[in-house]
Amino acid sequence: GGGQGFQILKMNPFRRNIFHILAVMAMSALAALFSSCHSIYDDLDPCPQGVRLRFVYDYNMEFANAFPSQVDCLTLLVYDKDGKYITSVTETSRDLLSDENWRMTLPLGPGEYIFEAWGGMACDNSSFSFNAEPSATPLADPRVELKPGCKTSPEGTRLHSLFFGCLAMTVPAESTDYTEGTVEMMKDTNNIRLLLQNLSGEPVDGNDFIFSLTDDNTMLGSDNLPVAGNSWEYAPWAVGQASAGTLDDGTEAKLGYAEFSTSRLMAGHSASLLIRDRENGRIIVDIPLTNYLLLLKSQEFSSMGNQEFLDRESRWNMVFFLDRTGSWVRTYIKINDWIVRINNAEM
């Protein structure tokens, strides 16, 4: 006809078989490459396998992640599912820790792991230390205690912040990438600022008083609970006088203050706060500390558990009002800007 014809060329059977074999081999190689990262070729990297951990500290009253701004060094202990020590990793770079996108990557084989994290232990000015080499002790042993150099008196020590977190997770056998996990941290250290104010307007100086705070919380186990039998009488790390402005009559209102730094506060502990008149030894304040701190919870955080409240809050301000004789007016106390009225003055 008038159209252009098409010629069908027949391929030599031998050449057709060669092309078929080559095609099968290429598909097999691609399948092996995508199904596994292991190969007979030396220049092919193996699959990344292990964990990629994020660390978060939002267990606070702001419910916001403060890990990048507050944790300045980190120690991670790695155990198997039975609590046998495997390894530990320390990170002290502030550039990394302050980066919200930073993750700790650990190459680990398939299996179940327990990760125990301590923030603030590896810093030059740390206040806590391991009481035994982690590699020589199982997971369940007590491990962290206040350094002897921080147990000072009559002037106390401002403790370096301590944080704790724990995570159990599994690296699957079929994993071809790092398994993601998040270690939730909490703060173990507290700062407590006490103010003494005379309702008469007379100036008060903290140096005229002796302050002490007693609690059994200087050693913490791997469960982050205080180990009984390690009670200590904390001394304030700062004492003095502060101005609160000018009164109506033009005189300056001066308050006495003392500031404590302590380990983890526990609901149900018999922590006590004692304030004495330095001149005559007379007791001004003698209270079960945590009971009074928990009075604040009933104001705004009644739905929150007692221990959660003590753990989330780490900065406390307490104002004790004195009468003209210098005695505490046992009807109300100001805690963290909240006026708490005390019905049972003997509490």
Side-chain angles (χ1 to χ4, degrees):
Q4 184 178 0
F6 292 92
Q7 183 179 10
I8 299 176
L9 300 176
K10 291 185 178 182
M11 182 180 291
N12 184 291
F14 176 75
R15 294 179 63 188
R16 185 168 62 246
N17 288 340
I18 291 296
F19 280 118
H20 177 72
I21 293 173
L22 291 175
V24 171
M25 290 176 64
M27 293 300 294
S28 299
L30 286 173
L33 179 61
F34 285 107
S35 64
S36 172
C37 297
H38 300 284
S39 170
I40 61 174
Y41 298 105
D42 294 335
D43 59 349
L44 184 62
D45 293 333
C47 268
Q49 192 174 59
V51 296
R52 183 181 292 114
L53 299 177
R54 181 191 183 203
F55 297 85
V56 173
Y57 166 50
D58 58 8
Y59 201 65
N60 48 53
M61 296 307 294
E62 290 75 29
F63 296 83
N65 182 22
F67 183 93
S69 61
Q70 294 199 30
V71 180
D72 51 359
C73 59
L74 184 67
T75 302
L76 183 73
L77 308 179
V78 184
Y79 300 86
D80 66 14
K81 64 177 181 179
D82 299 317
K84 182 180 178 182
Y85 175 86
I86 297 176
T87 188
S88 60
V89 181
T90 300
E91 182 56 68
T92 59
S93 170
R94 284 298 297 134
D95 289 340
L96 291 178
L97 295 172
S98 62
D99 183 357
E100 174 67 36
N101 298 315
W102 174 74
R103 302 292 185 268
M104 179 181 283
T105 303
L106 299 175
L108 294 170
E112 299 177 36
Y113 298 94
I114 301 172
F115 302 99
E116 181 184 305
W118 294 95
M121 291 279 291
C123 303
D124 292 337
N125 55 345
S126 64
S127 299
F128 293 81
S129 61
F130 294 113
N131 59 6
E133 195 62 38
S135 60
T137 58
L139 176 64
D141 282 7
R143 61 187 61 261
V144 170
E145 63 181 338
L146 193 62
K147 289 182 176 180
C150 294
K151 295 180 177 180
T152 54
S153 185
E155 183 177 350
T157 302
R158 183 182 181 183
L159 301 182
H160 188 80
S161 297
L162 180 70
F163 299 84
F164 170 83
C166 190
L167 174 68
M169 62 183 297
T170 300
V171 176
E174 65 277 9
S175 174
T176 58
D177 198 356
Y178 291 106
T179 303
E180 305 279 347
T182 300
V183 182
E184 301 282 349
M185 307 288 288
M186 61 173 286
K187 193 173 185 178
D188 282 337
T189 43
N190 295 266
N191 195 77
I192 303 172
R193 183 175 173 86
L194 310 177
L195 291 170
L196 299 179
Q197 179 177 357
N198 199 313
L199 292 176
S200 68
E202 296 179 9
V204 182
D205 190 341
N207 291 294
D208 294 334
F209 302 88
I210 300 173
F211 302 85
S212 65
L213 192 164
T214 304
D215 200 358
D216 188 2
N217 63 351
T218 60
M219 181 182 290
L220 300 172
S222 59
D223 54 5
N224 203 33
L225 295 176
V227 179
N230 296 278
S231 183
W232 182 251
E233 184 177 298
Y234 294 90
W237 62 269
V239 178
Q241 188 179 67
S243 174
T246 305
L247 300 176
D248 293 338
D249 60 3
T251 60
E252 186 178 11
K254 294 183 178 180
L255 284 66
Y257 70 83
E259 205 150 353
F260 286 91
S261 197
T262 78
S263 181
R264 188 182 182 192
L265 297 172
M266 300 296 298
H269 262 212
S270 56
S272 62
L273 174 65
L274 183 66
I275 305 175
R276 294 178 178 270
D277 188 303
R278 184 178 295 277
E279 183 178 3
N280 53 33
R282 181 168 59 97
I283 296 176
I284 305 299
V285 173
D286 185 5
I287 61 171
L289 178 64
T290 50
N291 288 9
Y292 272 72
L293 295 179
L294 286 170
L295 290 175
L296 170 60
K297 185 180 70 71
S298 64
Q299 299 286 328
E300 187 182 11
F301 309 106
S302 57
S303 62
M304 186 182 292
N306 287 350
Q307 190 57 53
E308 179 180 350
F309 177 73
L310 291 174
D311 289 334
R312 282 185 177 273
E313 185 63 81
S314 63
R315 296 181 177 89
W316 307 89
N317 295 286
M318 306 176 70
V319 183
F320 295 91
F321 297 94
L322 308 178
D323 61 20
R324 290 184 179 273
T325 67
S327 299
W328 174 36
V329 181
R330 302 190 181 199
T331 54
Y332 63 93
I333 182 176
K334 190 173 183 180
I335 306 176
N336 284 20
D337 295 330
W338 287 84
I339 293 292
V340 181
R341 300 195 176 278
I342 301 171
N343 296 323
N344 182 4
E346 300 303 320
M347 177 180 174

